[in-house]
Amino acid sequence: MSDWGLPPEDDTTRRLRQALHDEAARVRVTDRFDQLRGAAMQDHGARRSRTPWLVAAAVVVALVVGVGYLLTLTQQGTLTSAAPAGERARDSAPGTEAARTTATTASGDAVGFATPRGDIACRMGDGEVLCFTMSATEWEQATPRQCRSISDDTASATYSYDMGGVLLTAKGAELVCGTQAPVGLVVGSGDPAVSWYDPTLHRTVDLPWGAAPVLPYGGVATTTGGQRCEVSELGVRCTDASNGAILVAHQQVALVTPGTVPVRYVVASGDAAFVSGDATVRCLMTDESAECEAVQPTYQAPPRPASCQLDWGGRIGLTAQGAAFVCAGGTLAGLAAKPDLTQWYGPAYGTDVVMDGAPQAGLGVGSS
């Protein structure tokens, strides 16, 4: 008989005791096996070797120890899926957060990649970054504009597009026309820009010219020439050693040349407000109208109509019926600081303009 007045332990009880000792040593759980076992047995007589209390206590201890051990493994990063990394990446569907690859960096003299949704493809190297959207984007169709053809270096009269092309060099960023998408970004093509691709770590996405390697959301690509591109669900942002930058997305593109105000082409969904980059004009746009007001107008406004008893001469509106001065009560001040009117705006790629005593969403010179 033991000191607790209990019968000798059988093999099952001994194995359970040893297992609990081992687990407790790993996760620093206090070994209270004897204490729990004794407390469970006292109410049922000294000679009962197995009772529901003993079973319940053992189960509780095992659960506590097991959960603690699993948490320890998780914190140490040792708890992993049994599926190979390449298999997990290939089974993920494009266009979802689960589609991220297991490796989130790519580097080399030249690097090419596509986004997980396959909506943007970029090639970095040879002193430039060239990114294309894979479909006619909203900002392309919103405003016809001049752009340089990347085939013959001439400017076209209007912006003819099949894919939205944006070029970043040491001279800055610009829009480019033409159909010369980075067709070399095909796995197995021999293009050095895809040499970072590892089929056991990365997945591909089908583009019009073939399967391109995917850089996941949160992924970063760098070149030895100092170029860097970051992929997010908002789009692709690339910079170079001259501090020029581009942002390419379906609803907007931003072109940043050092020493100048960023030029942005953006399409806003719903009502939107902005201020001019020089902090002299405020604007509010809706589906039905656009209204802008000058902060300190120097022009001569037309005479106030007899029907207007409010502010006059500072605000002009545009509707389907045409443009006209607006008889307005109040002001547009502060609207470009309201979150519900500036969802189009990304401060990392836009122009913060201090106006009315607060930073507001600004559109620089040349922006639309």
Side-chain angles (χ1 to χ4, degrees):
M1 302 288 287
S2 69
D3 294 338
W4 288 94
L6 301 177
E9 295 177 346
D10 57 17
D11 289 340
T12 301
T13 306
R14 245 188 324 274
R15 286 197 297 272
L16 177 59
R17 175 195 288 274
Q18 187 59 48
L20 292 174
H21 271 297
D22 295 340
E23 298 297 337
R26 286 195 188 112
V27 297
R28 300 182 181 179
V29 175
T30 304
D31 182 7
R32 299 178 59 210
F33 181 85
D34 287 334
Q35 185 177 354
L36 288 171
R37 183 169 181 263
M41 294 299 298
Q42 276 185 332
D43 292 338
H44 296 276
R47 297 184 178 276
R48 295 186 180 181
S49 62
R50 293 182 181 86
T51 69
W53 271 106
L54 175 60
V55 175
V59 169
V60 169
V61 172
L63 285 175
V64 170
V65 172
V67 170
Y69 184 50
L70 288 176
L71 288 175
T72 301
L73 290 178
T74 302
Q75 292 170 353
Q76 294 174 346
T78 58
L79 191 61
T80 60
S81 169
E87 181 178 338
R88 292 199 300 276
R90 288 193 296 272
D91 288 347
S92 300
T96 65
E97 190 63 335
R100 70 179 65 191
T101 57
T102 55
T104 58
T105 60
S107 60
D109 293 334
V111 177
F113 62 87
T115 56
R117 284 189 292 264
D119 55 345
I120 300 173
C122 298
R123 191 182 196 282
M124 312 160 62
D126 302 321
E128 65 180 31
V129 179
L130 179 63
C131 290
F132 271 90
T133 57
M134 295 296 104
S135 62
T137 58
E138 295 180 10
W139 52 265
E140 286 182 279
Q141 301 175 70
T143 309
R145 64 186 72 88
Q146 279 198 341
C147 64
R148 182 170 63 83
S149 171
I150 57 178
S151 57
D152 56 14
D153 205 30
T154 60
S156 60
T158 58
Y159 189 70
S160 58
Y161 61 83
D162 57 342
M163 298 176 184
V166 187
L167 180 67
L168 174 64
T169 67
K171 297 179 180 179
E174 61 181 320
L175 300 177
V176 289
C177 295
T179 59
Q180 294 82 4
V183 293
L185 302 184
V186 177
V187 172
S189 65
D191 186 342
V194 298
S195 60
W196 62 274
Y197 171 76
D198 182 342
T200 65
L201 298 176
H202 311 115
R203 70 175 189 83
T204 62
V205 64
D206 290 332
L207 299 182
W209 53 82
V214 167
L215 191 64
Y217 298 127
V220 176
T222 58
T223 68
T224 54
Q227 299 156 327
R228 175 185 175 92
C229 289
E230 304 170 18
V231 178
S232 73
E233 295 196 46
L234 297 177
V236 177
R237 182 176 186 266
C238 301
T239 59
D240 66 10
S242 69
N243 294 320
I246 58 176
L247 164 69
V248 184
H250 190 75
Q251 287 190 309
Q252 64 176 303
V253 61
L255 313 175
V256 180
T257 297
T260 65
V261 176
V263 174
R264 308 180 71 225
Y265 301 100
V266 59
V267 177
S269 301
D271 297 349
F274 64 91
V275 297
S276 61
D278 59 0
T280 62
V281 179
R282 313 180 185 100
C283 294
L284 173 66
M285 302 179 69
T286 70
D287 290 338
E288 294 80 26
S289 67
E291 293 187 359
C292 293
E293 63 183 19
V295 177
Q296 295 179 330
T298 58
Y299 55 81
Q300 183 65 43
R304 178 193 301 269
S307 60
C308 181
Q309 304 301 315
L310 302 173
D311 295 332
W312 175 260
R315 190 183 306 184
I316 300 175
L318 176 66
T319 66
Q321 286 70 46
F325 280 86
V326 177
C327 181
T331 175
L332 302 179
L335 295 185
K338 293 183 176 297
D340 58 329
L341 294 176
T342 55
Q343 294 179 1
W344 59 271
Y345 181 73
Y349 319 114
T351 305
D352 280 330
V353 177
V354 177
M355 194 172 182
D356 306 318
Q360 303 200 41
L363 278 178
V365 176
S367 300
S368 298

